[in-house]
Amino acid sequence: MSLADQLVDRTLADRHQAYSAEVRQLIDAADRLTAETGHLDAPIRAILAESEMSNPAFYRHFRGKDELFLVMLDEGRRRLVEYLAGRTAAVVEANPDDEDAPVAEWVRGV
């Protein structure tokens, strides 16, 4: 890899880190608002106020509120699958011969 390519990679890595932090800040703000209100329909202005971010920052990362909520749904699904995988792995370890135990634990976890 050339020195020029290394410089580009370094610059992009710095930008990637900053943008990842902005996305996380917006997602966390929307998560907090959802938890507080119990609704998924927080206005973008409320999300921006909660995240202390600007309109341009929001639209730099998301096409709109629907895309933000799609990302939140995906993250929630991933956390649930990870949680359930941990529960089922523990049951398999404790009961290696019981083929039904992991399925039952998955259902209990859901």
Side-chain angles (χ1 to χ4, degrees):
M1 179 182 289
S2 72
L3 286 178
D5 289 338
Q6 290 176 27
L7 290 172
V8 169
D9 286 348
R10 185 183 66 210
T11 301
L12 290 176
D14 292 344
R15 185 172 290 175
H16 182 272
Q17 192 172 35
Y19 282 175
S20 291
E22 286 182 358
V23 168
R24 179 84 266 146
Q25 197 170 337
L26 289 161
I27 292 168
D28 290 347
D31 277 340
R32 285 190 302 273
L33 288 172
T34 299
E36 289 171 12
T37 65
H39 301 289
L40 278 175
D41 60 354
I44 290 176
R45 69 182 176 282
I47 295 167
L48 294 175
E50 180 70 23
S51 67
E52 299 180 347
M53 306 244 351
S54 67
N55 236 11
F58 180 88
Y59 287 104
R60 177 173 33 252
H61 305 295
F62 301 101
R63 291 185 181 113
K65 187 169 61 169
D66 289 345
E67 189 171 38
L68 169 63
F69 290 134
L70 184 61
V71 170
M72 291 170 62
L73 180 64
D74 180 64
E75 283 202 348
R77 181 194 58 81
R78 289 173 188 274
R79 282 193 302 259
L80 177 61
V81 168
E82 185 177 304
Y83 166 74
L84 294 172
R87 286 183 67 138
T88 57
V91 167
V92 168
E93 189 175 316
N95 306 299
D97 297 329
D98 186 352
E99 294 178 4
D100 296 332
V103 174
E105 189 61 26
W106 183 278
V107 171
R108 276 192 293 277
V110 171

